[in-house]
Amino acid sequence: MLKIALTGADGLVGSRIIELLKNDFEFISLPQKLMDITDRVQVNSALKDLDFDIFFHLAAYTNVPGAETNRELCFKINVDGTKNVFETVKEKNKKFIYVSTDFVFDGANPPYIEDSIPNPVGVYAQSKFEGEKIIGSEAMIVRIAYPYRAAFELKKDFFRTFKYYLENKKPLSMITDSLMTPTFIDDIGSGLKYLFNNYSPEIYHLVGSESISPYEAAIKVAEIFEFDKSLIEKTTYEEYIKGRAKLPQFATIKSKKNNFWKMKGFEQGLIEIKRQLTK
Ligand SMILES: NC(=O)c1ccc[n+]([C@@H]2O[C@H](COP(=O)([O-])OP(=O)(O)OC[C@H]3O[C@@H](n4cnc5c(N)ncnc54)[C@H](OP(=O)(O)O)[C@@H]3O)[C@@H](O)[C@H]2O)c1
C-alpha cells in the first residue's frame, strides 16, 4: 500500500480525503503541532527518518480576505512553508504533490486549463502562485476550485454557508455576473486516488464539470434542499467587491487532462450530499 505523508490533514479538504481513501492508502498525518512548516529545522527533523512514497502538501494559509492584511504570515506559510517541505522531500528523492487553486488565474479570459498562464490577483492567490513556482516542473501540482462537502465542523465552505443562511431564513445577496466552478470534495478524492497511483510531475486540474454564478449556486442550494428562494437577492460583481479582497470574476476552470474521473456538476454534487445527509 502506498504511504502518503501529508500536511493539512485536519483541514476542510484533507480530512475528507483521508475519510474517503483510508482503505486505499496509508496516510501519515503531519499536523502543525508536530511539524510547523514555517520552521525548517522542525521540518527536517520530522521528515528525516520518515518513510513515505508521496508527500501531499495541503497545508496553507487559506483565509482569502485575511491575507490582504496579513501578507507576511500568508507568504511565510504558503511560500516559505512550501519551500521548506519541498526542498526536504526533494533531498529524500520522494514524490511531491502541491495543492493549488483556480485563484492563480485572474478571471479575465476564461476558460483556464492546465497550461493557461496564471496572473493571480490578491495576496492569497499570489502566495499560492509563488508556491507553484517553487515546485515548477519538478513535482505534481493539483489545482482545485471552490471545494465543498456534506459536513465539517471546523470550517464552512461556500455551500454550507449558503445552506446555513437559507436554513436560518437569513437573506443572501448573490452575484449574478461572475462565475465559479464548485468542486465536490468526494470527486477530488476519487481523482487523487488515480493521481496517487499514476504520479507524474505535471499540473492537473481537479475541478467540477460546470461553472455557474454564485446567484445560480445559491438558487440550486435552495431548490435541492427546499428552502425559500426569495431570500436570495441579486447583486453585481462590482458592487460586491467594493471594499473586499479581489476575486477572479470569471473563474471558469477546466481540465484537458482529466480523462480518469468524471467530476460532478454542482446540482449532481448537491443531490449526492442530500443523499449522504439523509442516510
Ligand atoms: N478551501 C478552498 O476554498 C480552497 C480552494 C482552492 C484551493 N485550496 C487549497 O487546498 C488546500 C487545503 O485547503 P483547506 O480549505 O482544506 O484548508 P484549511 O481547512 O484552511 O486547513 C489548512 C490546514 O493547513 C494547516 N496549516 C496552516 N498553517 C500551518 C503551518 N504553519 N504548519 C503546518 N500546517 C499548517 C492547518 O493545520 P492546523 O489545523 O494544525 O493549524 C490546517 O490543517 C490549501 O492548499 C488551499 O490553498 C482551498
Side-chain angles (χ1 to χ4, degrees):
M1 200 184 255
L2 281 178
K3 292 191 180 78
I4 316 277
L6 77 165
T7 60
D10 299 324
L12 171 73
V13 178
S15 58
R16 182 65 180 151
I17 301 300
I18 295 177
E19 266 174 38
L20 291 164
L21 302 182
K22 61 178 184 294
N23 297 326
D24 300 290
F25 304 97
E26 184 183 330
F27 288 104
I28 306 160
S29 167
L30 296 158
Q32 183 167 185
K33 58 179 184 306
L34 207 86
M35 185 182 83
D36 181 337
I37 59 169
T38 66
D39 183 337
R40 181 66 181 245
V41 176
Q42 248 186 55
V43 171
N44 278 331
S45 74
L47 300 188
K48 192 166 46 100
D49 298 320
L50 194 68
D51 177 33
F52 59 88
D53 301 293
I54 299 176
F55 192 94
F56 184 46
H57 180 41
L58 279 156
Y61 180 98
T62 57
N63 181 343
V64 178
E68 297 297 314
T69 47
N70 288 298
R71 187 176 199 281
E72 209 175 306
L73 179 63
C74 174
F75 268 67
K76 193 171 172 197
I77 296 171
N78 295 355
V79 185
D80 301 350
T82 297
K83 192 162 190 261
N84 287 339
V85 287
F86 182 55
E87 286 182 351
T88 311
V89 170
K90 221 163 59 166
E91 279 162 23
K92 287 172 72 89
N93 281 318
K94 299 291 180 188
K95 294 168 179 157
F96 189 95
I97 302 177
Y98 172 71
V99 175
S100 192
T101 167
D102 60 325
F103 276 27
V104 298
F105 301 113
D106 59 16
N109 283 300
Y112 299 99
I113 53 173
E114 281 87 349
D115 52 11
S116 298
I117 309 293
N119 179 34
V121 288
V123 173
Y124 163 78
Q126 284 157 5
S127 74
K128 291 296 292 184
F129 182 50
E130 288 304 311
E132 287 195 6
K133 288 199 273 188
I134 290 165
I135 310 307
S137 55
E138 292 184 89
M140 183 184 282
I141 295 172
V142 176
R143 296 194 187 115
I144 60 173
Y146 289 92
Y148 64 95
R149 59 188 279 189
F152 183 55
E153 283 287 313
L154 299 179
K155 182 172 151 186
K156 275 203 175 61
D157 49 52
F158 80 93
F159 149 67
R160 280 174 296 117
T161 303
F162 294 0
K163 186 164 172 280
Y164 170 82
Y165 270 74
L166 296 170
E167 228 161 19
N168 291 285
K169 307 207 179 334
K170 290 173 187 280
L172 273 172
S173 184
M174 303 305 302
I175 308 173
T176 51
D177 59 345
S178 90
L179 290 170
M180 62 196 289
T181 308
T183 310
F184 188 33
I185 298 181
D186 295 21
D187 283 336
I188 297 176
S190 302
L192 282 170
K193 180 175 170 178
Y194 177 88
L195 292 174
F196 288 155
N197 285 320
N198 296 274
Y199 179 89
S200 155
E202 51 188 307
I203 300 176
Y204 285 91
H205 289 176
L206 282 183
V207 294
S209 62
E210 61 170 352
S211 303
I212 54 176
S213 72
Y215 176 78
E216 288 169 304
I219 292 286
K220 284 228 187 293
V221 174
E223 283 173 356
I224 303 284
F225 290 90
E226 293 163 41
F227 297 130
D228 180 3
K229 276 196 270 192
S230 71
L231 291 163
I232 307 166
E233 289 153 20
K234 293 180 180 175
T235 189
T236 63
Y237 175 78
E238 281 307 324
E239 207 42 56
Y240 181 85
I241 60 161
K242 266 184 206 154
R244 285 194 166 95
K246 270 202 159 176
L247 295 174
Q249 186 171 6
F250 298 108
T252 305
I253 181 163
K254 295 191 172 302
S255 176
K256 66 167 189 185
K257 290 186 183 171
N258 178 3
N259 52 12
F260 44 84
W261 183 257
K262 195 175 177 330
M263 307 293 285
K264 289 179 191 57
F266 191 45
E267 185 167 335
Q268 290 168 291
L270 293 181
I271 292 169
E272 173 56 21
I273 282 181
K274 194 171 177 189
R275 195 192 64 77
Q276 290 179 359
L277 292 174
T278 47
K279 234 178 7 189

